Amino acid sequence: MKAHLRPALVSIVLLSAITGLLYPLAVTSVGQGLFPKQAAGSLIEVGGKTVGSELIGQNFTSPKYFWGRPSATGPMANNAALSSGSNQGPLNPALSDAVKARIEALRAADPGNKAPVPADLVTASSSGLDPHISMAAARYQAPRVARERGLPLDKVQALIEDNTAERDLRVLGEPRVNVLKLNLALDASKP
C-alpha cells in the first residue's frame, strides 16, 4: 500500500505547487512586466484619483452624460461581483417590458429625438458590465448631451469620434465608444 500511496501524494503536492503557485506567479509576473496597465485593471485616473476602469461600465443617469448599456447585474448596476446576463429570452415578457421602459426613459430624456433607438441602449450585454456603446448609440444621444451642456452639436460629435476605438485588428468587431472616457472628455471640455 505504501508503494502506491507515496507516489500519489508526491504527485499531488508537486502538481499543486506547479499549478497553484509557480504557474500563477509566472503568469502574473509576465503580465505585469509586459502589460502593467492591463494587469492593474486598466484603471482611469483623473487628478490622481481613480475614477473607474476602461473594462467595466458605469451607471450614468444624468441627461448631461452619455448613457451606457443597461446592466443585468442586480441589485446594483455594473456590479462586477455579480457579472452575468439576465438569461431572459426574446419571448420573455419581463425582457419586453424592460426594453419598453428603457425606450420610454430615452424618449423622455430627449422628447424631440424621433430617431430609432439603437438596440444596445435598451438591451444588456451578456456580462452586464459592457463599458462600450456603438457609434449609433453615441450619435443618438449626442443632441441631448449637447443641449444639456450648452455645447455645439458638432463639438460633441467630434468628441465621439475622438473617443471611438476601431475594430480590433481592423476586422474583428465594430467601432465602439468607451462611455466613461467619452464622459470624462465632456467634463474636460468647455462650453
Side-chain angles (χ1 to χ4, degrees):
M1 176 91 167
K2 283 186 180 181
H4 296 295
L5 190 57
R6 186 174 185 276
L9 290 175
V10 169
S11 294
I12 287 173
V13 170
L14 185 61
L15 288 173
S16 295
I18 292 171
T19 60
L21 293 175
L22 297 178
Y23 180 75
L25 286 173
V27 170
T28 301
S29 298
V30 169
Q32 288 177 341
L34 296 177
F35 309 103
K37 183 179 180 195
Q38 292 87 343
S42 298
L43 300 177
I44 298 175
E45 291 186 7
V46 175
K49 181 181 176 192
T50 301
V51 295
S53 170
E54 292 179 31
L55 306 174
I56 297 177
Q58 291 191 10
N59 191 27
F60 292 96
T61 56
S62 170
K64 71 178 189 171
Y65 286 109
F66 283 88
W67 299 344
R69 289 191 75 167
S71 176
T73 64
M76 297 180 331
N78 302 101
N79 183 350
L82 298 174
S83 175
S84 69
S86 68
N87 292 330
Q88 295 173 338
L91 299 178
N92 188 325
L95 177 62
S96 179
D97 292 344
V99 168
K100 286 177 188 172
R102 292 167 184 158
I103 290 172
E104 288 173 9
L106 286 164
R107 296 283 188 214
D110 193 5
N113 191 343
K114 302 298 182 201
V117 176
D120 58 325
L121 286 179
V122 294
T123 56
S125 67
S126 61
S127 70
L129 304 173
D130 197 347
H132 300 99
I133 56 175
S134 66
M135 295 280 299
R139 289 181 183 133
Y140 176 85
Q141 298 180 78
R144 179 196 77 227
V145 172
R147 185 179 59 254
E148 290 288 331
R149 288 182 173 263
L151 293 171
L153 181 58
D154 59 339
K155 183 172 184 175
V156 173
Q157 290 171 333
L159 287 171
I160 291 170
E161 294 296 325
D162 292 345
N163 288 281
T164 298
E166 293 302 321
R167 297 170 184 239
D168 293 331
L169 303 174
R170 297 186 182 197
V171 295
L172 300 175
E174 293 296 323
R176 61 208 176 276
V177 180
N178 187 294
V179 178
L180 176 58
K181 286 182 173 182
L182 178 57
N183 285 334
L184 290 172
L186 277 168
D187 284 344
S189 68
K190 302 289 183 218

